[in-house]
Amino acid sequence: MAPDPLRSKIVRTFKLHGLSLRSEGSTYLQSLLREADTSEADEALSRIIDVLSNLNLPSPVVDKTTLESAVSECNDDVQPENSDKMFNVVDIFNTPRYKYNYERKKLLPDTAPKSLFGCAADKARITKDRYWLIMQRTQRHDLFTPPVPGAISQSSKFVLQTVEQVLGQQGEHKHTIVLAMLVQIEEGKYFLEDSSSHMLCDLSAAKFHVGMFTEYTFVLAEGSYDDVNSVFRVTGVGLPPPEPPKITRNYFGNTNFFGGPSPTCVSSVQVLRDIEREKQDTMFVFVSDVWLDQQTVLNKLKTMFTGYSKHPPFAFVFFGNFVSGQSHKNTVNKMKAGFKALADILSSYPTLCSDSYFLFVPGPQDPGPGPVLPRPPLPASIVEPVTKRLARARMCSNPARVQYCSQEMVLFRENLINKMCRHCIKFPQRSEELHVHLAKTLLSQGHLAPLPLHAMPVYWSHDHALRLYPIPDLLVIADKYDAFSVSATDCLLFNPGSFPKSNFSFKVYLPAQKKIENCEIAT
């Protein structure tokens, strides 16, 4: 029997691009392209290959499931009114987990089970995975890439060494740079630790650069090893350089590391970028510390809703705490009453109820399973008055991940500046504002909680849900600290500030312009 020409073309096209197609996959493509003419089939195959090339495939062998995802991406006919594609709130407990494979130089899906109550192996994996993500990123930075043979000047290049390599150079007193984690293995003594070994370090003469340096922070330590006293004498401490998301994508393709329904990164979908540019008037309103038990706060929210009623924002994002004060005996009852009062107010604004999304992110003092991150959404029994009346209400986890068109947003309600300062080995130099130090630290560490687990507990098998890698387009840190905004490494980072404590100020984000606006409700 003569071979099917279409099947031969499919197999040949995949082979030309270094891919191998399983038999059920080729049969699936045959059924799809059977009625297409030659030019249409060639164009369809080309688009499918492009999508597969942008995926971080664990193997060159393509199965039917992967192929169906690629075909679905090619057939994506997103329309402006299709909010399912434009806007998604990601389930933080189902975000994809990837692990860096040093031998293959790739980020591969981590198939280890994710239990809420992790085992010892999950705890050990936290620091190891963080280390390799930062190490592979730092190694390809311009400052640390290997010298190019024949280049005129290599004076700006540095060589990264592991702790084990430094310990093996005893007697040479070589000046070197080590990427390692700061940790107290013995009380009152700091060590530099990486995947190879650990060594005692002397920070007394060290110059600390911009950033907040706490235990469990991965640092670039510059200095030399004193083999007589068995100590690494540090002269300078800095943070590993962050990596713009475009560079990350160049190395790992458009795999969706963020989560959500799309198999590829949403920034690679042209139709979403087009919609984003067209909707110049789209707004996200961010309000933190929405104390629903305070009548003054409810009155100011009503004033806000009145102002936006004629031009509804795309979304209101409300951060907790949703009850004032540190603790209350009747917190749950007060929250129920507060959400009912909020629902009553919103019922007077039908345009907002029908056109705007309402996102609620719990705060540190709100009812829940405790201070361990990530926190699940607010209990359904408390927010029922709002969810019953607002079809577009979304109860988010903390942190929350939100996708709007081609942009990825991370929303986090935590008093981070206070916690980071409290655990700093050396208080940041005030030549820079504290929020600049915070932004530099978070983006450098690629993580929302670069603190010891006793200071900021994390579910061991869900630590990946707090990663900032690749760096998102927008990072909102809702902190009780003064409002701020800063742009770094292709990321906008801002704090809306405490609504009741800052003269009822809040922030508005314009995605089409990637711009932050400061707003305040006049007293």
Side-chain angles (χ1 to χ4, degrees):
M1 182 182 294
D4 188 322
L6 178 58
R7 189 184 190 95
S8 299
K9 173 187 279 192
I10 292 170
V11 173
R12 186 171 59 253
T13 303
F14 273 71
K15 281 186 176 180
L16 286 173
H17 291 83
L19 299 173
S20 177
L21 195 59
R22 293 190 183 277
S23 59
E24 66 269 17
S26 58
T27 302
Y28 170 68
L29 277 184
Q30 276 183 276
S31 65
L32 290 179
L33 303 177
R34 180 66 66 188
E35 303 300 325
D37 58 34
T38 303
S39 61
E40 289 176 344
D42 290 342
E43 182 181 354
L45 283 173
S46 177
R47 291 174 62 192
I48 292 169
I49 292 293
D50 286 343
V51 172
L52 291 172
S53 299
N54 287 327
L55 292 175
N56 194 21
L57 297 175
S59 166
V61 179
V62 181
D63 57 22
K64 184 181 177 183
T65 303
T66 305
L67 196 59
E68 287 175 338
S69 298
V71 170
S72 175
E73 190 74 13
C74 292
N75 291 334
D76 195 356
D77 56 349
V78 180
Q79 299 298 326
E81 64 273 11
N82 190 349
S83 60
D84 291 338
K85 295 293 183 182
M86 282 179 55
F87 179 72
N88 287 286
V89 177
V90 179
D91 181 357
I92 201 73
F93 290 96
N94 286 323
T95 52
R97 181 170 65 186
Y98 285 81
K99 181 178 180 180
Y100 183 72
N101 187 298
Y102 184 77
E103 288 76 22
R104 298 178 61 181
K105 311 295 185 192
K106 296 182 74 174
L107 279 170
L108 302 178
D110 190 344
T111 56
K114 293 186 289 185
S115 169
L116 195 61
F117 304 102
C119 59
D122 294 321
K123 184 179 182 182
R125 188 186 295 119
I126 292 177
T127 50
K128 186 182 290 186
D129 288 353
R130 288 190 198 178
Y131 170 76
W132 281 114
L133 278 180
I134 295 174
M135 172 59 88
Q136 57 87 25
R137 186 191 76 198
T138 305
Q139 284 178 327
R140 62 171 173 262
H141 190 271
D142 289 342
L143 291 174
F144 300 101
T145 50
V148 179
I152 297 175
S153 174
Q154 301 294 337
S155 58
S156 62
K157 298 289 184 180
F158 298 95
V159 178
L160 272 181
Q161 290 194 316
T162 64
V163 172
E164 188 177 52
Q165 288 172 327
V166 173
L167 294 175
Q169 294 174 348
Q170 294 182 13
E172 298 183 24
H173 302 285
K174 248 181 116 176
H175 203 71
T176 187
I177 298 178
V178 178
L179 174 61
M181 182 176 66
L182 277 172
V183 62
Q184 281 195 77
I185 297 178
E186 299 177 20
E187 186 176 356
K189 295 181 179 180
Y190 287 101
F191 290 75
L192 291 169
E193 182 177 21
D194 64 12
S195 62
S196 65
S197 187
H198 64 268
M199 61 183 174
L200 180 66
C201 65
D202 177 10
L203 300 171
S204 59
K207 177 185 177 182
F208 286 78
H209 296 276
V210 177
M212 293 182 169
F213 300 90
T214 69
E215 285 186 70
Y216 279 55
T217 300
F218 286 96
V219 300
L220 290 172
E222 185 177 7
S224 57
Y225 189 77
D226 179 356
D227 57 299
V228 175
N229 298 294
S230 300
V231 62
F232 186 76
R233 303 203 180 278
V234 183
T235 57
V237 182
L239 292 170
E243 183 177 76
K246 288 183 180 178
I247 296 179
T248 306
R249 301 288 177 197
N250 289 339
Y251 280 93
F252 300 118
N254 286 321
T255 300
N256 184 1
F257 301 108
F258 190 75
S262 176
T264 59
C265 171
V266 290
S267 64
S268 66
V269 183
Q270 181 61 45
V271 67
L272 289 178
R273 297 201 297 267
D274 293 340
I275 294 172
E276 186 180 301
R277 283 195 297 268
E278 290 169 5
K279 292 183 169 292
Q280 291 289 321
D281 57 346
T282 296
M283 295 182 293
F284 282 74
V285 177
F286 294 90
V287 189
S288 184
D289 279 348
V290 183
W291 294 344
L292 298 178
D293 62 327
Q294 296 289 325
Q295 189 59 46
T296 306
V297 172
L298 291 172
N299 292 340
K300 294 299 180 180
L301 289 176
K302 186 174 182 179
T303 303
M304 176 194 294
F305 296 148
T306 301
Y308 283 118
S309 59
K310 293 183 179 179
H311 302 283
F314 185 85
F316 290 93
V317 182
F318 295 137
F319 294 94
N321 302 316
F322 291 103
V323 173
S324 59
Q326 293 298 314
S327 62
H328 288 284
K329 293 181 180 179
N330 300 317
T331 298
V332 173
N333 291 333
K334 288 188 176 184
M335 283 188 69
K336 284 182 177 180
F339 277 105
K340 183 180 184 304
L342 179 64
D344 291 340
I345 292 172
L346 283 169
S347 63
S348 304
Y349 303 94
T351 55
L352 294 181
C353 295
S354 60
D355 296 347
S356 297
Y357 286 93
F358 293 84
L359 278 61
F360 298 86
V361 181
Q365 303 299 327
D366 289 327
V372 186
L373 296 172
R375 282 176 56 110
L378 292 167
S381 59
I382 293 178
V383 298
E384 187 178 11
V386 167
T387 53
K388 273 190 172 181
R389 297 198 198 181
L390 296 178
R392 289 192 163 196
R394 298 290 185 271
M395 297 300 150
C396 304
S397 57
N398 185 27
R401 293 187 179 188
V402 175
Q403 170 247 320
Y404 168 74
C405 287
S406 69
Q407 296 190 32
E408 296 175 345
M409 308 177 185
V410 175
L411 319 176
F412 191 33
R413 173 62 181 96
E414 185 60 70
N415 298 322
L416 259 183
I417 290 184
N418 187 29
K419 280 192 175 182
M420 294 290 287
C421 287
R422 190 187 312 147
H423 291 89
C424 274
I425 293 171
K426 184 175 181 180
F427 197 80
Q429 298 177 2
R430 294 311 298 266
S431 56
E432 301 281 355
E433 293 291 337
L434 284 177
H435 65 265
V436 176
H437 290 278
L438 177 68
K440 173 80 172 176
T441 304
L442 296 182
L443 299 183
S444 167
Q445 300 298 301
H447 203 274
L448 286 170
L451 282 164
L453 290 176
H454 68 265
M456 190 172 285
V458 174
Y459 288 112
W460 297 342
S461 58
H462 290 280
D463 178 77
H464 66 283
L466 278 72
R467 290 179 189 168
L468 298 173
Y469 190 78
I471 291 174
D473 299 280
L474 183 74
L475 175 56
V476 184
I477 304 294
D479 196 295
K480 67 179 182 181
Y481 188 75
D482 295 341
F484 62 78
S485 60
V486 60
S487 178
T489 323
D490 297 340
C491 174
L492 274 174
L493 187 152
F494 72 86
N495 170 30
S498 176
F499 187 60
K501 294 182 178 180
S502 59
N503 295 322
F504 303 100
S505 63
F506 57 96
K507 299 276 190 185
V508 173
Y509 176 57
L510 308 174
Q513 306 169 38
K514 293 191 175 181
K515 180 182 176 183
I516 306 292
E517 290 185 348
N518 301 320
C519 300
E520 183 178 314
I521 299 176
T523 55

